Amino acid sequence: MNQNVTLEGNQKTLIVIPSFNEEDSIGQVLEDVKKYAPGISVLVVNDGSRDQTAKVAEENGAKVISLPYNSGYGVALQTGYLYARKHNYSIVVQMDGDGQHDPVYIHDLLNAVNNNEVDVIIGSRFLGGNTYRTSIAKRIGMFVFGKLASLFCQEIVSDPTSGFQAVKGKAVEFIASDYYPPDYPDADFLIMLTRCGFKIREIPVKMHQSKINKSMHDGTQSVYYVLKMFLSIFVTLLRKKPRI
Amino acid sequence: MNEEYSMGWLVAGSLMLILSISDGLLVWVTNLVGATLFTSTLFFFGLIFLGTICLHFSIRISSLTNQVRTLTQHMGILHSEKQSLEEQIGLNSLEQNTSKLKKL
């Protein structure tokens, strides 16, 4: 099995799955990834899980990097990009390990990132007539930050919190840099990417309800998230463009 | 405590002490800043010092958090690569031992 090819060409591709306490879902996700994206290297970043996430991932043939303690989604994800940069992967597909992102769409993401003049392809759960049930508060948040991201990115962003993305070339290196927001890389980071000249685009994907009923945007975290995101967008717009 | 921090506390503490025991100086500084009460002058400078040190610590903590984050990420990657190498070495030595046994 060739470990370093995309479905479309000969660029090195890596699928990065940040994971925290997802032993119940990660096995199935990895099986589906093998089924729908054969031949692509898979890296699971175990974000200090207290369960058997790392063991299950290894048993399912994934390369596993274990962080010594829980550092948060952004840190785990960026670790995958650091690994990709170190090992010269030119395309990274990031997805969640809770079963929310359907590996069937990896092919679509790779096609889009390969064929279009774009650097980042975002899988949107709200395009193409797809429906996704979530709380009203979250929908309002997604709508507001989506509109802000669309305004400043000059591109329709319907799903600013989607972690199902394909990233290529210089954008991989940029995400591995110190400019990456370590906690919630959402609308603020999309705006930063656009300001740096990277092209982003959305494609429709279907997302499932998470098998783990715990979101990083739940409870008091959601209040922090909203305040942080507004502040981060404001600061991103004030800051000088990062050098890439 | 590192000298970096103890210097600030020593300087600020000494200044507050000097202001507290020197009536003339305190009156002069109070008139200079336009305060009505002497105690207000002391509280004013105390608050400025505490605000400055809090800001300084926020910047330092942010910087240290970023450094810890980077260390954590690199440690995770290096640990994983170390494990891979150990597995490779283990496999190689196993193969060598097997071939030696076959020769025997």
Side-chain angles (χ1 to χ4, degrees), chain A residues 220-236:
Chain A
T220 50
Q221 289 283 311
S222 59
V223 180
Y224 169 74
Y225 172 81
V226 170
L227 294 174
K228 186 262 166 190
M229 197 50 64
F230 275 121
L231 181 64
S232 186
I233 289 171
F234 179 65
V235 172
T236 302

Side-chain angles (χ1 to χ4, degrees), chain B residues 16 19 29-30 33 40-50:
Chain B
M16 293 296 276
L19 275 178
V29 175
T30 303
V33 296
S40 304
T41 311
L42 285 174
F43 276 115
F44 173 67
F45 284 107
L47 277 174
I48 284 182
F49 169 68
L50 289 176

Side-chain angles (χ1 to χ4, degrees), chain A residues 63 69 75 78-79 86-87, chain B residues 68-69 72-73 80-81 84:
Chain A
K63 165 94 182 159
Y69 58 90
V75 176
Q78 195 189 34
T79 306
K86 193 175 180 197
H87 294 273
Chain B
V68 170
R69 184 186 91 203
T72 306
Q73 291 173 320
S80 142
E81 286 178 346
S84 301

Side-chain angles (χ1 to χ4, degrees), chain B residues 5 9 52-63:
Chain B
Y5 303 111
W9 286 107
T52 309
I53 209 151
C54 282
L55 185 67
H56 174 69
F57 283 149
S58 297
I59 294 166
R60 286 287 294 162
I61 289 168
S62 299
S63 164

Side-chain angles (χ1 to χ4, degrees), chain A residues 184-236:
Chain A
Y184 306 114
D186 288 339
D188 54 342
F189 191 64
L190 295 178
I191 294 169
M192 192 190 283
L193 279 170
T194 313
R195 289 195 79 221
C196 293
F198 294 111
K199 298 262 186 297
I200 62 168
R201 194 159 298 158
E202 284 189 332
I203 62 163
V205 296
K206 191 170 168 57
M207 284 194 199
H208 307 292
Q209 294 296 320
S210 171
K211 287 171 186 163
I212 296 157
N213 292 323
K214 181 96 183 98
S215 165
M216 61 181 173
H217 299 143
D218 280 344
T220 50
Q221 289 283 311
S222 59
V223 180
Y224 169 74
Y225 172 81
V226 170
L227 294 174
K228 186 262 166 190
M229 197 50 64
F230 275 121
L231 181 64
S232 186
I233 289 171
F234 179 65
V235 172
T236 302

Side-chain angles (χ1 to χ4, degrees), chain A residues 164-176:
Chain A
F164 199 14
Q165 300 178 4
V167 180
K168 84 172 175 197
K170 285 266 182 197
V172 172
E173 287 177 35
F174 186 67
I175 294 175

